[in-house]
Amino acid sequence: SSSSGDEALRDKRARILSRGLPKQKPIEGVKQVVVVASGKGGVGKSTTAVNIALALAANDSTKEIGLLDADIYGPSVPKMMNLKGNPELTSKNLMRPLKNYGIACMSMGFLIEETAPVVWRGLMVMSAIEKLLRQVDWGQLDYLVIDMPPGTGDVQLSVSQNIPIAGAVIVSTPQDVALLDARKGTEMFRKVHVPVLGLVQNMSVFQCPKCKHETHIFGADGVRDLAKTLGLDILGDVPLHVNIRETCDSGQPVVISQPQSDAAKAYLKIAVEILRRLPVPPA
């Protein structure tokens, strides 16, 4: 019958497609991977990733945290984490992460000159991602936070299909243009079966330092509305504050340099919400 023929054809197609996907292989020594992503650039994703990594460490000093900068074209973790230099190689020819504030960090920025542009085609980018995933000696990590590049392209797919990811955090401003791309980013992770832990509403409100008047520069509650539409949680709101920008630019992120500030408390709350939603890690 035609229906059984259609079913056989679907089965065959599914088998062919599954053969083409790489087998997921855990990163040695890493218990859980959390990716921080955005559909769009300029929404504060890297700042959020850096402060989340530091907040995870601040919440539990017994945990070992790593931070992988997967943004090949615009690596910003070296500057934000105040790190310079080339990674040393182990006897097994693996790169040793550079460390600051107790966080083990790896980035393309350690492998190229600070001002050198990365003018590469797709295959070279994929090769670099493979090196960053597989040729780094992380030691033993409880959590590896990956700062993903913006968008939903080759790098996002490659990372999602190559390693098991415990959860994704989507960062967006409340602005309509950013929300459109945040939705695409969420749907991409769902397509590749990566659990989305929730959304972070960044630059949610600006408070005038003089009169304390609050202004919603990028709109109010746009990310909350999107979260409702997608059936997701809001992990937290981060205000638009000059301290967040200044501290990251100076290589002293706000969670470390101003732990009592409202901004630092917002990141600490987000870290707690992430941990609540992660599956129980393997022993």
Side-chain angles (χ1 to χ4, degrees), residues 83-270:
L83 285 166
K84 274 187 180 168
N86 303 112
E88 293 175 3
L89 291 178
T90 68
S91 56
K92 292 182 179 173
N93 221 27
L94 298 174
M95 294 181 285
R96 272 206 185 95
L98 275 61
K99 213 163 184 183
N100 198 10
Y101 309 124
I103 309 290
C105 301
M106 182 50 66
S107 169
M108 196 66 210
F110 301 145
L111 309 176
I112 56 170
E113 289 294 317
E114 195 175 355
T115 55
V118 177
V119 190
W120 288 353
R121 290 192 186 276
L123 281 173
M124 288 175 76
V125 172
M126 301 323 292
S127 169
I129 284 292
E130 183 68 18
K131 280 190 174 66
L132 291 173
L133 289 177
R134 300 288 173 207
Q135 293 180 22
V136 177
D137 179 5
W138 289 105
Q140 295 298 314
L141 292 182
D142 293 284
Y143 306 106
L144 176 63
V145 177
I146 301 184
D147 177 22
M148 296 281 251
T152 53
D154 283 350
V155 172
Q156 288 82 353
L157 282 173
S158 183
V159 171
S160 304
Q161 290 170 351
N162 271 291
I163 60 170
I165 295 169
V169 174
I170 308 291
V171 181
S172 181
T173 60
Q175 189 181 2
D176 286 352
V177 175
L179 293 168
L180 282 171
D181 291 334
R183 182 170 195 154
K184 287 176 194 165
T186 304
E187 297 298 355
M188 185 214 76
F189 283 117
R190 284 178 167 171
K191 270 199 167 69
V192 293
H193 310 296
V194 170
V196 178
L197 303 175
L199 279 69
V200 170
Q201 180 161 263
N202 199 27
M203 309 183 198
S204 57
V205 65
F206 172 73
Q207 187 184 67
C208 174
K210 289 184 178 169
C211 70
K212 305 300 180 195
H213 176 71
E214 292 191 344
T215 307
H216 295 275
I217 291 173
F218 294 106
D221 289 335
V223 180
R224 284 181 188 285
D225 297 339
L226 177 63
K228 273 187 204 143
T229 306
L230 295 171
L232 289 170
D233 295 329
I234 286 280
L235 301 173
D237 289 81
V238 181
L240 177 63
H241 202 290
V242 69
N243 282 6
I244 299 174
R245 195 267 307 160
E246 284 177 349
T247 53
C248 266
D249 280 355
S250 66
Q252 298 175 313
V254 72
V255 167
I256 282 290
S257 57
Q258 299 175 14
Q260 298 307 314
S261 65
D262 288 345
K265 286 174 185 168
Y267 289 120
L268 289 161
K269 175 186 177 290
I270 290 165

